[in-house]
Amino acid sequence: MRTAMARKANASTADSASRTLVLGIDDRGVIVQAGHNAEKVIGLEADALIGTRLYDLLDEGGDQIPAILEAVAEGQERTSVWRLHGPGDAVVTVQPMVGGTDLFAMVHLRVALSTTERFQDPARVRRALFDDQLTRFGSNLDLDLCTRALADVIVPHYCNVASIVLLESLVAADESHGEANGSAVLRRLALATDNHEPDWSATFPTGEVLVYPPGTPYRECLDRAAPVHLKHMTAEQAGRIADAWRRDPVRELLDDVSMVILPLIGKTGKLLGLMACTRTPGFRRFDAYDVEIGMEFASRAAIVIDNARRFSRERATALTLQRSLLPLRLSHPSSVEVKHRYLPGSKLVEVGGDWYESISLPGGRVALIVGDVAGHGVKAAVTMGRLRTALHTLANLDYPPADALHIVHELMTELGEQEPHFATCVFGVYDATTGTLEIASAGHLPPLLLRADGTPEYLELPDAPPLGVVGGNPIESREFAVEDGSMFVIYTDGLVESRGRDIDDGLDRLKGIFDPSALDRPMEDLAKACLAGVYDNVDRDDIALLIARLRRLPEDTRVSWTLPNELAAVRRARGLVRTQLDEWGLADLSYTAELLASELVTNALRYSPGPLEVRLLRERTLVIEVMDRSAALPRLRRAADDDEGGRGLLVVSEYARRWGTRRTALGKVVWCDLRLPGIDPDDTAFSEEWPGKKHHTDSFPLPRLPLDGLPDRGV
């Protein structure tokens, strides 16, 4: 009911769509107390009501009173509808009294105002509109909620029906104003009626994108950016609007109404939309003073709408930035399971400088990265985007963790000459074929490793300053042997440190989550446990969390051979590859795989001394690797017509899905891969939700801020 909405507005009962009388009764239903407004509500003076039974006030509904009194005696509240002498129907709530009072119950009678009383006193209408109303709907920065609340204030205090229409370009956050037939395209965001007749909502649906036709008062209001007052709309006028708009129901709905169409003009003088207010037949028609009141309200409401529109656009921009900077999907070998969480510290812009990565690398390896840029908000997010892109590129180029972080450190140092900033980062590479984990850290908190035997430990890494901080120890890496089923956890300081908690306590808490029982718990449960209790902390820092369950690839998916450095090794490699592919049921790939293997082996024999190793890896693709003792990396070039060599890598690049190189401690690896029949190499069961999406739902409401730039309220 609109009466409920009116009560929320804290307007006086004389200004709302109903009036309330409070009576006190004894256990027999006899009135012992009465409010001073009894005469206005039910037509009887308060003194005359004392000693009167409730039965005597009713035309209908008296048979309910015994049951209601019985329920109240048991401490229960009851609500019903009674037909009173004179005023008619009333919503009645009977509340039991407790605490030793002499009263048995309080009776609240809510009686709707008659049509002759609504909108009669412009001063009361003005007071009802401006007393605490702007604060109520203006503190919400969601554009849809703001306009709905605005409509619920106008109805019932100012009119019977109200419609809020804004420019589509503002709602859709489009910089340009779309136009159709010379008029701006608009969208109806809210419609309110005091009787909830379905004809209004069917004819003027909420959410409709529309263009008002020429010759209508709506179009006139938009063109002039001034109010349009139709004191009494005739059937002929309503018919012309219906014909121009090609909406026949408009003919009946607008017949004999009084209408005021108010423009919504923002702070800069820009037209935002309009507010159409209608009083139906039987109510006092709008006059010049009503138009003045409406324009004052519309000007203040436009400022609130403009604030909400600006915030909606800034928030959409921030979320788009966040979505573009964070990885949309995490890749990893099939034997590795990865789960992530991201939570920005700022609830206003909802972006931050923390990031994470899980990048599948050739040879059954995966790069696991978490970083933290100092600071908050958009500036930190932009710096984070630079670092993440740089590290992602270096990881795909197969730079070892320490070398990659050193290059990014140089980048941060160069950027710091223009604007000082720094970041911490931990970078690990897990090899699912050997079970080794190589990690480097630049000023970051220690990673947590829960070993397969149930022992949790924070890994000790060589000390190094944050990225962008000059001086200190060089960035170095350490290698750890990891048993199958172990869990690797990297995180930012927002997860373990806050104003109310010491970092050591946070580290102990995290270590307690990853106790031996965590080995058998679902990854999703562990991620939720890590972030339990942080959502309500308004002073939290940005949080990034990456949890990986590490397992080696099965033995039957990989095979390697050591070959001597002689020409016969080429023929030997082709035969070994052919035989192995037959065992794996991949004979259809033999011709191409043999060709690629022979080219890679030939390249190694030509430029590398000592023996070489050939490895086949069957994962989501068929990977062919040749390892030799030379540190010189080959490069792709196009041989001239008279060159005797230089075409091997060109053949590899043409027939392979991908190819690349990486250095090792003893030399280098040249690799390529082929698609496996019936397997999508990029299908790793990724979630389609973008990171952090769940943190921008209704479970985490928009901030409520003070009104920006509202003029002082007047009476």
Side-chain angles (χ1 to χ4, degrees), residues 267-563:
K267 303 176 186 177
T268 60
K270 177 181 177 181
L271 181 68
L272 306 179
L274 58 84
M275 186 165 58
C277 305
T278 304
R279 288 180 183 173
T280 54
F283 292 85
R284 189 179 70 84
R285 303 189 185 279
F286 288 110
D287 58 20
Y289 189 44
D290 289 319
V291 176
E292 180 183 342
I293 295 173
M295 273 306 301
E296 183 179 355
F297 183 80
S299 63
R300 301 186 187 190
I303 295 176
V304 176
I305 291 176
D306 201 20
N307 286 343
R309 188 262 307 180
R310 291 172 184 270
F311 175 78
S312 296
R313 177 166 293 179
E314 291 176 3
R315 182 171 182 266
T317 302
L319 292 181
T320 301
L321 172 67
Q322 188 75 80
R323 293 185 66 172
S324 66
L325 295 180
L326 288 174
L328 296 181
R329 308 194 303 179
L330 302 181
S331 59
H332 47 82
S334 57
S335 62
V336 176
E337 184 182 359
V338 175
K339 187 66 67 174
H340 75 275
R341 280 293 186 273
Y342 172 77
L343 191 65
S346 172
K347 288 188 175 182
L348 180 60
V349 295
E350 303 184 22
V351 295
D354 293 13
W355 86 95
Y356 55 90
E357 282 281 10
S358 174
I359 309 168
S360 183
L361 302 177
R365 297 172 301 127
V366 58
L368 303 169
I369 307 171
V370 160
D372 183 2
V373 175
H376 304 278
V378 175
K379 183 182 294 186
V382 171
T383 303
M384 175 269 286
R386 292 176 174 179
L387 296 185
R388 175 183 166 263
T389 302
L391 276 176
H392 195 283
T393 302
L394 294 171
N396 281 319
L397 290 175
D398 268 320
Y399 276 82
D403 294 348
L405 290 181
H406 176 73
I407 295 174
V408 174
H409 170 69
E410 296 295 331
L411 172 63
M412 287 287 288
T413 303
E414 181 180 346
L415 294 176
E417 296 177 358
Q418 305 173 4
E419 183 178 356
H421 48 261
F422 64 91
T424 65
C425 184
V426 60
F427 186 159
V429 174
Y430 174 69
D431 191 331
T433 63
T434 63
T436 58
L437 179 62
E438 183 181 2
I439 312 174
S441 174
H444 205 81
L445 291 170
L448 175 65
L449 180 64
L450 175 61
R451 296 193 176 273
D453 61 3
T455 303
E457 62 173 310
Y458 286 106
L459 301 179
E460 295 185 5
L461 301 175
D463 292 333
L467 304 173
V469 176
V470 180
N473 299 325
I475 300 174
E476 300 180 46
S477 62
R478 284 191 61 189
E479 191 171 283
F480 301 87
V482 179
E483 302 83 3
D484 273 11
S486 299
M487 303 190 71
F488 182 60
V489 185
I490 46 180
Y491 51 92
T492 56
D493 57 359
L495 181 66
V496 296
E497 185 180 24
S498 64
R499 292 185 180 181
R501 181 176 62 190
D502 185 73
I503 189 170
D504 291 333
D505 296 333
L507 291 172
D508 290 340
R509 173 184 173 273
L510 182 63
K511 194 173 183 180
I513 294 174
F514 289 91
D515 59 9
S517 65
L519 294 173
D520 301 321
R521 295 177 62 186
M523 297 274 283
E524 182 68 21
D525 291 351
L526 293 173
K528 290 180 179 179
C530 290
L531 266 65
V534 305
Y535 297 102
D536 295 331
N537 183 5
V538 296
D539 298 322
R540 67 170 183 264
D541 195 3
D542 304 336
I543 296 175
L545 170 69
L546 199 68
I547 308 172
R549 196 188 301 273
L550 308 178
R551 295 188 182 92
R552 297 179 65 178
L553 293 169
E555 293 285 346
D556 60 358
T557 62
R558 61 186 188 273
V559 62
S560 62
W561 309 278
T562 301
L563 303 178

Side-chain angles (χ1 to χ4, degrees), residues 58 80 93 95 172 256 359 392 405 434 454 477 516 578 607 615:
L58 307 183
S80 182
T93 301
Q95 299 174 328
D256 198 30
I359 309 168
H392 195 283
L405 290 181
T434 63
S477 62
R578 181 172 57 253
Y607 298 104
R615 184 169 75 162

